[in-house]
Amino acid sequence: NEDCLYGRRYGYSKSSIDCESLKQGELCYEVLWSSNMYECVFCFDSSTCSNCYFSTNLRGCSNCLFCSELRNKRYHVWNKPVSKTEFENYVRKMRSFTEFSKMLEQFSKMLEECIRPWANVVNCTDCIGDYLVNCKNIKYGYDSIDSEDGKYLVQCESIRDCMDCSSCGYDNPQLFYETVNTGNGGYHNRFCFSCWNCSELSYCDTVMNSHDCFGCISLNQKQYCIFNKQYSKKEYEELVPRIIEHMEGQSSELKNKQFGEFFPIYLSPFAYNETIAQDYFPLTEEAAEVKGLLWKSAEGKDSKHSDFVIPDNIEGVSDSITDEVLTCTECGKNYKIIVQELKLYRLIGVPVPRKCFSCRQTARTAARNHVWLSERSCAKCGTAIKTGILPKQKGVIYCEKCYLEKVYE
């Protein structure tokens, strides 16, 4: 990626800001789970589009505004054709924060009323989940591509025969179980964190280019190590089964079984509410305390109220805004606009945001389908479906068959 700011899961993208799961995008702003996008603003679940704004589920479109479920269309507003001049007049309004806010409200209402697919699944066979591309036999997968024969996967790419993995992939790693942030090939890794180009690891953390290690941390190009101590192959093969037996609770020294699960959460150096776990599985401070989890309290220092008035139009914003301390209209915390950020707003043609990054990220998370699936019925035929669109979320949800019939009718 190059010159991308404030987002998550950029892939091969340039000069984009406030996006999530954007692959091969350029000059994009608030684009979610989309690929091959150029100069798009508030576009969700779309691909191969350019100059599209406040739209969702577009394919091969350009110059579209307030559109949904279109294929290979140009110069459309509210799914109806318009002239080039009419379209450009609409888009020119986006440079004003007042007009931009009105457009965002219209887009939010549109999302509640337009037809939505049960899930975002592209070129997949025998899969259950959401945000899946080019997958086969993936059960309960989320935000994963080019993978096969896996279960309970989140943000995985090019993996085979893996289970309970997150942020895992590249170069076809195989037989990974309960690993996080691992990959670049490899085989049979269990209960590992941030280990790359490794095989036959168990309970390792930040181990690179190694194999046959147990309970090691921060090693590189090692083999037959236990707790960072070097052993011979024979010693390693004798000691590891004994350690596993001990961890399984078969020794009288241990009351609880400890083998077969990922590192216990109390080892995390981060508070629960400052990790993305809070995005996917939100807890209150009281609930986190019951589970024995760390919790970060609100910062004690008061935010400084800013009297600075941001110009309504991006064209009226001077470079000096980067010297100002601004106040978020959502949470009241202070935030700043940095030089690179201002440059992108000008290039894309959108107003300076009035909310801090954290509040903008919270809104993006709420806009996406959720990682857990719920039972709903197709709004057209009544077929039972599993979808990440929760019952409390509004929308007209169609099953795969009805959705494809509607889009390509």
Side-chain angles (χ1 to χ4, degrees), residues 43-321:
C43 279
F44 299 170
D45 312 327
S46 300
S47 65
T48 319
C49 296
S50 62
N51 302 100
C52 291
Y53 313 95
F54 299 105
S55 297
T56 184
N57 276 299
L58 305 184
R59 302 288 184 271
C61 295
S62 63
N63 305 97
C64 291
L65 172 68
F66 296 129
C67 292
S68 66
E69 330 311 326
L70 293 187
R71 301 295 183 264
N72 305 312
K73 300 294 184 181
R74 296 185 66 198
Y75 292 110
H76 275 59
V77 177
W78 294 111
N79 280 31
K80 295 181 180 180
V82 297
S83 68
K84 179 180 178 181
T85 301
E86 286 178 293
F87 182 81
E88 290 176 347
N89 288 337
Y90 272 112
V91 173
R92 196 173 293 113
K93 295 179 181 179
M94 284 199 326
R95 305 180 76 85
S96 160
F97 178 75
T98 302
E99 294 299 323
F100 191 91
S101 299
K102 292 177 182 178
M103 291 173 130
L104 185 55
E105 288 180 6
Q106 290 176 292
F107 180 53
S108 298
K109 186 176 180 180
M110 186 192 88
L111 290 176
E112 294 178 356
E113 298 174 351
C114 70
I115 294 171
R116 300 176 64 183
W118 82 110
N120 295 282
V121 176
V122 179
N123 193 29
C124 294
T125 304
D126 295 327
C127 292
I128 299 173
D130 208 343
Y131 300 113
L132 302 176
V133 178
N134 301 330
C135 292
K136 181 179 179 182
N137 194 30
I138 299 297
K139 308 303 182 187
Y140 301 99
Y142 186 85
D143 203 356
S144 299
I145 65 175
D146 299 329
S147 297
E148 185 174 341
D149 298 328
K151 195 171 185 180
Y152 306 125
L153 307 176
V154 175
Q155 295 179 352
C156 293
E157 182 170 344
S158 301
I159 66 173
R160 299 289 183 274
D161 301 302
C162 297
M163 181 172 173
D164 288 336
C165 294
S166 176
S167 302
C168 172
Y170 311 114
D171 251 354
N172 295 313
Q174 300 180 46
L175 293 177
F176 281 24
Y177 179 61
E178 292 206 10
T179 67
V180 177
N181 194 37
T182 56
N184 272 8
Y187 180 84
H188 197 221
N189 291 331
R190 307 174 295 177
F191 324 115
C192 292
F193 174 77
S194 198
C195 296
W196 295 88
N197 195 27
C198 296
S199 294
E200 300 290 351
L201 301 187
S202 297
Y203 290 104
C204 290
D205 184 341
T206 321
V207 172
M208 310 293 173
N209 310 303
S210 302
H211 58 95
D212 297 286
C213 292
F214 191 102
C216 295
I217 184 169
S218 300
L219 296 184
N220 186 29
Q221 297 182 339
K222 294 293 184 179
Q223 183 180 12
Y224 303 129
C225 292
I226 301 175
F227 306 137
N228 282 35
K229 182 177 179 181
Q230 183 67 60
Y231 290 89
S232 68
K233 178 181 179 182
K234 182 179 179 181
E235 291 173 324
Y236 180 87
E237 292 176 346
E238 289 176 350
L239 278 173
V240 168
R242 290 173 57 191
I243 295 171
I244 293 175
E245 181 182 355
H246 182 78
M247 293 177 68
E248 286 178 333
Q250 297 176 22
S251 167
S252 59
E253 298 177 20
L254 287 177
K255 295 181 180 180
N256 299 315
K257 178 179 177 179
Q258 297 181 352
F259 184 80
E261 298 291 341
F262 192 71
F263 295 109
I265 198 168
Y266 63 77
L267 293 178
S268 173
F270 301 103
Y272 187 85
N273 61 324
E274 62 180 351
T275 71
I276 61 172
Q278 181 70 352
D279 291 341
Y280 293 120
F281 306 99
L283 295 176
T284 63
E285 182 175 359
E286 294 74 20
E289 185 178 352
V290 169
K291 293 177 177 289
L293 308 177
L294 296 176
W295 189 269
K296 184 178 180 179
S297 300
E299 295 181 3
K301 65 178 184 179
D302 295 329
S303 296
K304 175 185 176 182
H305 177 70
S306 173
D307 294 323
F308 180 78
V309 178
I310 304 173
D312 184 70
N313 197 299
I314 185 63
E315 294 172 355
V317 178
S318 67
D319 293 345
S320 63
I321 193 174

